[in-house]
Amino acid sequence: FSWWHRLFAPPDAGTYGEQLAARWLRREKRFHILVRNWRSPRDRRDELDLVCRDGEVLVFVEVKTRAAAALVQGYDAIDERKRRVLRRAAEAYLAGLRPADRPRTLRCDVVEVALPAGPRGGQPEIRHFENVPLFGKHFRGRD
């Protein structure tokens, strides 16, 4: 019944938040979503929630979904350990691109999705933080 569960079971909060974030980025920011839930072939723990294009800029988007009343907001949950994982995943993603396909400019964004409490709690609130300090000034990924 695992196939049935994948088709009909409601998504968990994280998956739901990523779906909302992707739709919002497409609709409101005109991002082109290239990849969702990309995992490094070398280490499956290294994951990028969304890889997008904002014009000519390649954007790695970390999505954090929380209850609206959460004590720690999503942006604040990205500690130095998570930043290292994101940098490692971004390097692996870039290493998999042909040199001609590598972007000249890239950045990391965070999208926070705050889910209302209860079934009638209202609409989710989405906050977009652009250009979160993740990469050093001269970061290029592996050449």
Side-chain angles (χ1 to χ4, degrees):
F1 289 107
S2 64
W3 62 270
W4 183 88
H5 187 268
R6 282 193 304 269
L7 286 175
F8 297 107
D12 63 22
T15 301
Y16 180 59
E18 287 174 12
Q19 290 170 352
L20 291 173
R23 273 192 241 134
W24 187 87
L25 288 169
R26 244 189 332 264
R27 185 183 65 240
E28 300 296 325
K29 297 292 186 166
R30 302 289 183 230
F31 278 27
H32 177 70
I33 310 298
L34 301 175
V35 181
R36 291 179 59 181
N37 296 310
W38 181 88
R39 290 191 181 272
S40 170
R42 297 187 120 194
D43 187 344
R44 303 287 294 164
R45 294 172 296 178
D46 293 346
E47 179 192 10
L48 298 168
D49 293 335
L50 300 170
V51 180
C52 309
R53 282 262 185 205
D54 179 14
E56 294 299 313
V57 178
L58 184 69
V59 185
F60 300 107
V61 179
E62 177 66 14
V63 179
K64 290 296 185 184
T65 306
R66 297 283 190 266
L71 296 176
V72 177
Q73 296 302 309
Y75 181 88
D76 297 324
I78 302 175
D79 57 10
E80 186 51 42
R81 183 188 149 287
K82 181 63 176 176
R83 290 176 195 271
R84 278 193 308 272
V85 169
L86 289 170
R87 277 192 297 268
R88 199 170 50 234
E91 287 176 353
Y93 181 85
L94 293 169
L97 297 177
R98 296 182 322 205
D101 293 336
R102 289 192 186 148
R104 296 192 67 182
T105 307
L106 51 92
R107 71 172 195 254
C108 181
D109 290 2
V110 174
V111 174
E112 227 179 53
V113 179
L115 299 176
R120 292 196 263 213
Q123 294 295 316
E125 184 178 338
I126 297 176
R127 293 182 212 98
H128 180 208
F129 301 89
E130 289 187 30
N131 206 21
V132 173
L134 176 67
F135 306 112
K137 184 176 180 180
H138 301 289
F139 179 86
R140 296 254 185 245
R142 293 186 184 132
D143 291 325

